[in-house]
Amino acid sequence: MKKLFPYGLDAPGVVRNMAVVSLLLWLVYGLSFVDSMPLRINGMEWPAAFMTFGTLAMIWSSFRKVPEREKLLGKLVWRGDEHVLDIGCGRGLLAIGAAHRLPEGQVTGIDIWQTSDLSGNSPQAAQDNALKEGVSDRVSFQTADMRELPFAGASMDIVISALAIHNIAKADQRKRALLEIIRVLKPGGKILIEDIRHPAEYREILQQNGCIVTVQKPFIHRVFRIISFGNLNPAIILGWKE
């Protein structure tokens, strides 16, 4: 599992639960063909297929993390000497990708290392990945809450984050995290956020606090919104601080 998903499986509990429900639904569907069954339930193939597709989609997205990382980070123009902060870095996916683009820069990744959000989530896993990718001299990891960043104001050239801010349940606390991002960013500094919920909320907060922002929704993000019946609303937020 560690070799197959070096950057972890997203929401492992959700994947497990979806897989179990999928198997149960297929079992019920199969039993509907047994003549001796006293009760028949028709139409179970549709929810079974939906749950199976959702499970496989989440596994596929975790398997494809590195190429998707490169596409995401390619949306920024890099000088090569920036100081970068990765919010909710997990096992180092974006931080390490950024470090590859910074021969003279430095990346700091912060997280609170919740394994419910990412399998095997730990600072040691992130450090191990940085060593394997040959960038351990340009990236560091520390425990910190995105709502109280332990960095001076206007100290970062770029702030990046993927699939992290939505894990804060309350809107006022997500706003607090976004305001912290703005605080530590230098004037002219860049923001790159990919998340599965709340893009309109993020855009409004950033725009109201001195940032120029655009929201992108690639085709695959629109597909995920459809198959989740609107429960997910993935988007990429690009911006810069005036």
Side-chain angles (χ1 to χ4, degrees):
M1 180 67 75
K2 186 175 181 181
K3 290 183 178 179
L4 187 61
F5 301 113
Y7 287 104
L9 179 66
D10 291 321
V14 173
V15 175
R16 179 198 62 226
N17 293 341
M18 289 179 66
V20 169
V21 171
S22 175
L23 288 172
L24 291 174
L25 290 172
W26 283 120
L27 177 62
V28 172
Y29 174 67
L31 290 174
S32 68
F33 291 96
V34 178
D35 293 335
S36 60
M37 284 294 292
L39 177 65
R40 290 175 178 269
I41 303 177
N42 297 319
M44 292 304 293
E45 65 270 26
W46 299 112
F50 172 77
M51 293 300 292
T52 300
F53 181 80
T55 303
L56 294 175
M58 291 189 70
I59 294 172
W60 176 84
S61 67
S62 293
F63 182 71
R64 292 274 304 167
K65 283 186 175 184
V66 172
E68 293 302 316
R69 168 187 80 184
E70 298 307 306
K71 290 181 184 178
L72 182 63
L73 294 176
K75 293 181 178 295
L76 293 176
V77 177
W78 301 80
R79 294 192 314 264
D81 62 350
E82 293 95 340
H83 284 82
V84 179
L85 175 62
D86 182 6
I87 302 287
C89 64
R91 290 166 64 164
L93 179 68
L94 286 192
I96 291 167
H100 280 299
R101 292 164 164 78
L102 300 173
E104 299 178 8
Q106 188 69 32
V107 187
T108 302
I110 64 116
D111 208 311
I112 56 174
W113 318 109
Q114 294 185 142
T115 55
S116 58
D117 299 327
L118 180 69
S119 66
N121 198 14
S122 71
Q124 187 61 54
Q127 290 165 4
D128 289 345
N129 282 330
L131 186 62
K132 289 175 184 176
E133 291 207 31
V135 295
S136 58
D137 60 326
R138 302 191 296 279
V139 61
S140 62
F141 302 97
Q142 65 185 79
T143 301
D145 191 316
M146 67 179 79
R147 293 165 293 187
E148 292 185 38
L149 296 174
F151 308 106
S155 58
M156 299 292 170
D157 297 292
I158 299 174
V159 177
I160 55 180
S161 181
L163 310 180
I165 301 173
H166 78 276
N167 289 313
I168 300 175
K170 295 183 179 180
D172 65 321
Q173 295 299 300
R174 291 194 297 272
K175 179 177 180 179
R176 184 175 172 184
L178 289 166
L179 292 178
E180 277 290 273
I181 289 173
I182 296 168
R183 179 184 67 80
V184 302
L185 200 61
K186 296 178 182 178
K190 302 169 187 174
I191 300 169
L192 173 61
I193 298 172
E194 183 177 31
D195 216 337
I196 57 173
R197 292 190 175 95
H198 318 301
E201 174 188 305
Y202 299 170
R203 175 174 59 188
E204 181 179 3
I205 293 169
L206 293 169
Q207 287 179 337
Q208 289 178 349
N209 291 275
C211 296
I212 305 298
V213 177
T214 61
V215 177
Q216 298 181 1
K217 294 191 176 184
F219 175 75
I220 189 62
H221 285 184
R222 298 178 188 275
V223 171
F224 271 104
R225 185 170 191 183
I226 292 170
I227 66 175
S228 69
F229 296 102
N231 184 50
L232 302 180
N233 188 14
I236 296 169
I237 313 294
L238 281 166
W240 57 277
K241 180 178 176 181
E242 292 186 289

